[in-house]
């Protein structure tokens, strides 16, 4: 197998990993996937955390989001991979449980992977539309 073929396979695996991550942790509300997907030394470069973030903190944060937005759903609209990074363009939607108001926001997230785990994240999102 040529080097190019190996690299393409790895890029495709990274893209699939990220799509599956969003599907599990958001759409299927499987917060425990955080233990499998996030490295213990995961660094978030953007809000809401900024800094070293544990899989447990990710799990707890998602569980709060599931309560606030019981129908929370993310659609990955585009995915670009290069090296150990995956960039996604996403659309998030949900209904606030306490008010019944729908919200929507979109943004770009850049993930870096190492050893089959998420190790860094950068994100730019729009303010939620309500």
């Amino acid at each position: 197998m040529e080097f190019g073929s190996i690299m393409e396979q790895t890029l495709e695996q990274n893209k699939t990993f990220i799509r599956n991550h969003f599907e599990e942790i958001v759409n299927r509300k499987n917060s425990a996937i955080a233990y499998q997907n996030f490295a213990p030394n995961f660094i978030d470069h953007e809000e809401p955390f900024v800094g070293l973030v544990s899989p447990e903190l990710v799990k707890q944060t998602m569980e709060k989001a599931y309560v606030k937005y019981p129908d929370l759903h993310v659609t990955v609209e585009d995915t670009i991979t290069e090296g150990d990074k995956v960039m996604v363009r996403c659309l998030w939607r949900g209904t606030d449980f306490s008010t019944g108001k729908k919200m929507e926001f979109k943004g770009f997230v850049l993930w870096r992977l190492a050893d089959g785990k998420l190790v860094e994240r950068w994100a730019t999102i729009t303010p939620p539309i309500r």
Side-chain angles (χ1 to χ4, degrees):
M1 184 180 282
E2 292 179 31
F3 176 77
S5 298
I6 293 170
M7 180 59 81
E8 287 175 23
Q9 181 181 9
T10 302
L11 294 177
E12 193 59 38
Q13 288 172 341
N14 286 349
K15 184 187 293 188
T16 299
F17 179 92
I18 295 299
R19 285 185 174 275
N20 289 343
H21 169 71
F22 277 115
E23 186 62 31
E24 283 296 320
I25 203 161
V26 180
N27 298 339
R28 292 189 181 142
K29 297 175 179 42
N30 178 7
S31 63
I33 199 77
Y35 295 118
Q36 180 180 323
N37 289 357
F38 287 87
N41 60 343
F42 174 78
I43 296 175
D44 198 340
H45 296 276
E46 309 298 335
E47 296 295 331
F49 305 115
V50 184
L52 191 62
V53 178
S54 70
E56 178 61 27
L57 181 57
V58 172
K59 180 181 181 291
Q60 290 173 8
T61 301
M62 290 308 302
E63 288 170 354
K64 289 176 186 172
Y66 305 152
V67 171
K68 184 164 178 70
Y69 302 102
D71 61 345
L72 185 64
H73 186 84
V74 65
T75 302
V76 176
E77 297 185 326
D78 290 301
T79 310
I80 300 170
T81 57
E82 184 175 317
D84 61 352
K85 294 185 177 88
V86 179
M87 172 74 80
V88 293
R89 182 173 66 93
C90 297
L91 174 63
W92 295 69
R93 291 187 171 118
T95 306
D96 187 314
F97 176 75
S98 61
T99 65
K101 291 184 180 180
K102 299 214 178 273
M103 77 81 198
E104 174 180 303
F105 67 91
K106 53 189 167 184
F108 292 90
V109 181
L110 176 63
W111 300 95
R112 187 173 74 81
L113 292 97
D115 301 319
K117 302 273 187 189
L118 299 167
V119 294
E120 286 185 273
R121 182 189 83 108
W122 299 261
T124 303
I125 61 171
T126 62
I129 300 168
R130 297 173 199 250

